[in-house]
Amino acid sequence: GFMAPFKSGPGGRSQTTQKGLFNRRHSSVRNVIERTFGVWKMRFKILDGPMKNYPIEAQRNIVVACCVLHNFIREMQPYDVSLPDEVNMDGGGTEGAQMPQFHVTPEALHDWKELRNAMADHMYLHRNE
């Protein structure tokens, strides 16, 4: 599934402090994910081009395999000469990429929204821990 950030209220502000905190953390995680995909695309050229010729299951398996291989390489060789600036990389290279289209039932959408609300409340209640 996909969990979107909360929509902004009037004046571009989130309706509650919980929602604002959730949106900031959501954005932070998204940035990490985009940088990670940028690193993978540098290492595994198959990820840098269109994969539409492969069935969706194969595309998923390719991404998972790249993740596993990347983690193995990083564990075996912590300083990777092929990616010396990996930690300081400032972009995921996703500009112009098309988002996949998802078909979601109203019930599933409701469940995701409920989960997002619960996560936002939990983050707010435990923000100082």
Side-chain angles (χ1 to χ4, degrees):
F2 173 75
M3 188 175 297
F6 288 101
K7 293 187 179 188
S8 297
R13 307 185 117 203
S14 295
Q15 292 87 0
T16 66
T17 305
Q18 292 95 321
K19 290 178 181 179
L21 177 62
F22 178 88
N23 282 354
R24 285 189 302 281
R25 290 185 179 174
H26 184 279
S27 176
S28 177
V29 168
R30 180 178 175 165
N31 288 336
V32 170
I33 291 168
E34 287 182 4
R35 285 194 312 271
T36 300
F37 268 97
V39 168
W40 291 352
K41 286 166 75 173
M42 284 191 301
R43 182 185 297 277
F44 305 109
K45 295 303 176 190
I46 192 168
L47 298 176
D48 200 25
M51 278 202 278
K52 58 186 168 192
N53 296 333
Y54 297 100
I56 192 70
E57 295 82 15
Q59 292 180 36
R60 180 197 61 224
N61 291 340
I62 289 168
V63 172
V64 171
C66 290
C67 172
V68 170
L69 288 170
H70 172 81
N71 288 342
F72 178 77
I73 291 167
R74 296 293 291 159
E75 190 168 316
M76 294 294 113
Q77 185 177 344
Y79 178 76
D80 188 347
V81 292
S82 67
L83 299 170
D85 297 327
E86 180 175 337
V87 177
N88 300 316
M89 207 174 106
D90 64 349
T94 59
E95 297 81 17
Q98 285 187 326
M99 291 297 290
Q101 298 299 312
F102 297 100
H103 302 286
V104 181
T105 64
E107 295 81 14
L109 184 59
H110 177 267
D111 291 345
W112 277 104
K113 286 181 179 179
E114 289 296 315
L115 178 60
R116 181 180 64 180
N117 289 336
M119 289 175 69
D121 290 341
H122 180 80
M123 284 179 190
Y124 181 74
L125 291 172
H126 300 280
R127 67 189 177 279
N128 294 323
E129 292 179 5

